[in-house]
Amino acid sequence: MLADSYGRVATDLRVSLTDRCNLRCTYCMPPEGLEWLPKDDLLTDDELVRLIGIGVTRLGIEEVRFTGGEPLLRRGLVGIVAATTALRPRPHTALTTNGIGLARTAPALAEAGLDRVNVSLDTLRPDVFEKLARRRRLTDVLDGMAAAAAAGLTPVKVNSVLMRGVNDDDAPDLLRYCLDHGYELRFIEQMPLDAQHGWRRDTMVTADEILDRLGVHFDLEPADADTRGSAPAELFHVDGGPATVGIIGSVTRPFCGACDRVRLTADGQIRNCLFAREESDLRPLLRGGGTDEEIADRWRAAVAAKLPGHGINDPSFLQPARPMSAIGG
Ligand code: SAM
């Protein structure tokens, strides 16, 4: 088991497959100038699959979520997914993606056994999309979502980040679109994880504000809190249900006490929290002849040292050195 000293057990592994991305969302990456991880530091497909296997067969990992950067940019993605779904016990698998290229790869991912996708979509307006993501790719994203649903990668969940003065009035339209298409929408509060350190508490759009804006157009009823478990999203039934909308209030409504996540970066670092300032490097063991049990031991120690909370609301909070794109969101 991957247990920490506060009684939490990590069963959900987020695996970053690359730090590169084909969008430049303003809350995540600068327009240019971000240095990529050195090529030799990146884990090979075989190394990644070995680590995922250790997580699943020795450490109790039950869910594997592929992310990045943009995971669809990883050439070996379909093979990595297939090797993961061949593990026993078979983990639940998901992919967090911006959707660009998903229209082409969704059938192969479904064939490889991927269970479902999370697609990021912050607006339905092409001009706002271009301003926010610094690329004109909205149609590709929408096509990718439709292809994922058609391939059975369901439920398709949609992640949205609202930025004040940019897309903060898009919330009702995004929800209407997701309801119409059978997608499950979740709004994520903007977190201090951008490479350019531009996050400001006083301008972030809070969970309360998002609920107020949605409440003008929809009837929202909290779903039963008892069923939330370790899920980051607080769910609300929309217009009597069964459809729901989720709010991930990472900053104003932290859920660290129920966290069951652990992260593996594309260069082989275990991170016990998105906001951790320390990492455990598995590469020396991986590339130096370490046994599976030795790797598992280092991994256990990394999780055991997990702090009780992310500390964003503490005056002494310091943003981690790695940006979200290199951690894996
Ligand atoms: N490229 C993929 C994508 O777009 O989903 C996967 C990686 S991306 C880092 C994962 C998620 O993190 C996306 O939904 C994105 O919107 C979210 N994200 C990135 N930076 C964020 C920030 N500063 N605060 C909150 N969410 C953020």
Side-chain angles (χ1 to χ4, degrees), residues 25-304:
C25 302
T26 53
Y27 51 75
C28 191
M29 293 173 93
E32 52 196 33
L34 187 61
E35 275 189 31
W36 307 124
L37 293 170
K39 196 160 174 283
D40 289 346
D41 289 0
L42 296 179
L43 300 185
T44 64
D45 292 0
D46 286 346
E47 288 172 334
L48 267 170
V49 167
R50 180 177 174 203
L51 291 182
I52 295 169
I54 292 170
V56 170
T57 60
R58 291 175 184 259
L59 297 171
I61 292 298
E62 296 168 359
E63 165 148 15
V64 179
R65 173 93 64 93
F66 300 102
T67 179
E70 176 43 51
L72 291 178
L73 295 180
R74 175 101 188 194
R75 206 167 290 165
L77 172 65
V78 171
I80 293 169
V81 170
T84 301
T85 58
L87 292 168
R88 294 294 175 268
R90 183 192 189 285
H92 185 270
T93 53
L95 175 80
T96 300
T97 170
N98 62 29
I100 297 171
L102 192 55
R104 197 177 56 250
T105 32
L109 288 167
E111 180 74 16
L114 185 73
D115 290 310
R116 57 167 204 84
V117 293
N118 273 36
V119 182
S120 302
L121 174 71
D122 302 320
T123 181
L124 290 160
R125 293 182 285 164
D127 54 325
V128 177
F129 186 96
E130 186 174 359
K131 188 170 173 196
L132 214 152
R134 301 190 181 103
R135 301 285 188 272
R136 292 184 75 83
R137 306 300 295 266
L138 175 61
T139 309
D140 298 301
V141 177
L142 299 181
D143 289 350
M145 291 162 65
L153 297 172
T154 53
V156 172
K157 295 188 183 179
V158 175
N159 295 341
S160 294
V161 177
L162 297 180
M163 301 282 287
R164 193 172 304 286
V166 182
N167 66 334
D168 51 340
D169 48 0
D170 284 25
D173 288 346
L174 284 165
L175 180 51
R176 175 62 55 209
Y177 183 87
C178 288
L179 293 174
D180 289 349
H181 289 79
Y183 307 148
E184 293 183 14
L185 177 62
R186 278 135 169 69
F187 291 97
I188 310 175
E189 277 182 345
Q190 188 197 357
M191 295 178 276
L193 286 169
D194 56 312
Q196 57 280 32
H197 291 232
W199 179 87
R200 283 181 43 199
R201 176 180 301 275
D202 54 349
T203 58
M204 65 167 278
V205 182
T206 64
D208 284 352
E209 263 184 279
I210 299 167
L211 286 170
D212 283 350
R213 281 168 187 262
L214 291 176
V216 174
H217 303 266
F218 302 93
D219 178 32
L220 301 179
E221 274 299 317
D224 192 352
D226 297 344
T227 55
R228 181 173 175 190
S230 58
E234 214 176 323
L235 291 185
F236 296 82
H237 289 299
V238 183
D239 292 342
T244 57
V245 63
I247 305 286
I248 303 182
S250 317
V251 179
T252 65
R253 303 178 177 199
F255 37 85
C256 303
C259 178
D260 66 352
R261 286 169 287 289
V262 58
R263 292 180 152 79
L264 172 64
T265 65
D267 58 349
Q269 313 293 313
I270 293 292
R271 296 181 60 91
N272 57 26
C273 172
L274 254 184
F275 295 93
R277 297 189 50 80
E278 308 216 335
E279 306 181 327
S280 276
D281 191 355
L282 297 185
R283 272 177 319 179
L285 284 172
L286 197 56
R287 294 182 177 174
T291 64
D292 285 3
E293 197 44 34
E294 285 169 333
I295 291 172
D297 275 345
R298 182 164 296 182
W299 195 332
R300 284 187 197 100
V303 172

